[in-house]
Amino acid sequence: MENSRPNQRSWWGPLLLFTGGLMVGLAAGHFGPQPRFETGAGGGGINGINGGNPEKSGGTTRARDASAERENGDAEAGEAGNLPTVLDRLRKQITDSAHHPNPMRSLAKLGQLMYELSPEEIPDAVALMEEAVTGKNGRSMVFGVMALFSRWSEFDPEAAVARSREMAGGTLIRQMAFQGVMGGWMEKDPQSAMACLNGLESTAENAEIRSGAMGMMTFANPAKAALMAEMGTDPVRRAQEMAMVAGSWADSQPDEALRWVMGIKDQTERERLLPGVVRGWVKKAPEEALRFADALDNPSVRKS
């Protein structure tokens, strides 16, 4: 039997290791405001509450505030004595990111700011990001687009999907925006997310978007990806996605992948998926996998 499993990991693996972690971090609150621990002449404290004399620790507090203003603030807002808004800080970070020597650190800072955005601020943040991706160094912002739309999916995934299809900057930007939405939506509500995927028109761009979204979910949560693949409404596409999930899952967790495949009621479908699982299993436990394959009833499945 020929291997029908698409090559999903040629470039998705390295990308998803970081962006998947970023979006999980956004959802879990790992990038939210953290308590500040300070030490001064009078002792330690959290969130600016010092255990000693507040007058003696004032220098530490002022130095911290001045440093924060230099790093995150808007110059004009600082001179006026007003704290910069999240959008002000996001605008500055987007500008800085285009020339940042370490793109991953820059993206992490963007992720932290996106966590602080309120639902009302997100459309303006999207407009800022859209302006950035159509600029001179726009390609440096593609992962930021993905993270921003993942954040939006927490509040209103339908609106985020609609806006993702209108993003300027080309097919890649629209794909990254859409996949950002799917990353959060699939995790929270796989049925609704899959209904959205099933409702996409049959175009080359949508096929790439769907493939990327399913690849992302398979990488992040293969059990949920398996559930979603079974919800596919197009028979050909459903078969391709189930084979992709089975093979990718078996690469990392062959026992779990095998348990899923063996639980599929349709014998033809089950036998079609087994070779991909065994190929992944062989990488982990070759002798055990080959014994299992030799014991299969169908000779054509054993040979594949």
Side-chain angles (χ1 to χ4, degrees), residues 91-284:
R91 183 182 294 107
K92 183 179 184 300
Q93 185 59 45
I94 288 173
T95 301
D96 293 347
S97 296
H99 309 285
H100 201 285
N102 189 329
M104 292 306 183
R105 287 189 63 186
S106 177
L107 180 55
K109 289 183 178 180
L110 280 174
Q112 181 176 0
L113 288 172
M114 289 169 190
Y115 178 85
E116 298 178 32
L117 289 167
S118 68
E120 294 75 23
E121 291 171 319
I122 285 182
D124 289 335
V126 170
L128 286 176
M129 193 64 73
E130 189 170 41
E131 182 179 351
V133 298
T134 56
K136 183 178 180 180
N137 297 296
R139 286 302 176 99
S140 66
M141 289 288 101
V142 292
F143 299 139
V145 169
M146 195 175 191
L148 176 56
F149 275 83
S150 176
R151 172 64 169 161
W152 198 354
S153 73
E154 298 178 26
F155 306 118
D156 192 345
E158 289 89 352
V161 163
R163 184 65 173 87
S164 74
R165 312 313 305 277
E166 302 171 354
M167 285 290 286
T171 300
L172 175 63
I173 300 302
R174 289 191 293 274
Q175 288 176 349
M176 297 298 276
F178 187 91
Q179 288 161 18
V181 181
M182 287 292 119
W185 200 5
M186 286 175 164
E187 191 65 36
K188 183 183 295 184
D189 185 357
Q191 286 80 10
S192 297
M194 197 62 189
C196 176
L197 287 180
N198 286 333
L200 293 176
E201 295 182 15
S202 181
T203 66
E205 180 174 331
N206 285 343
E208 290 184 23
I209 285 175
R210 182 186 179 110
S211 177
M214 288 300 297
M216 178 172 57
M217 179 52 66
T218 301
F219 187 90
N221 189 333
K224 193 156 288 186
L227 173 66
M228 295 185 66
E230 292 189 69
M231 297 181 200
T233 54
D234 180 89
V236 174
R237 189 165 52 199
R238 180 179 183 274
Q240 292 173 343
E241 289 172 351
M242 290 185 71
M244 182 268 292
V245 173
S248 296
W249 197 358
D251 285 346
S252 58
Q253 296 176 307
D255 291 348
E256 295 298 322
L258 180 63
R259 186 176 294 110
W260 169 56
V261 170
M262 294 303 291
I264 294 174
K265 295 181 180 180
D266 186 277
Q267 180 178 349
T268 301
E269 189 167 52
R270 185 171 63 249
E271 292 182 344
R272 180 179 55 80
L273 296 174
L274 275 174
V277 173
V278 172
R279 280 190 287 271
W281 193 1
V282 165
K283 300 174 186 177
K284 296 280 186 180

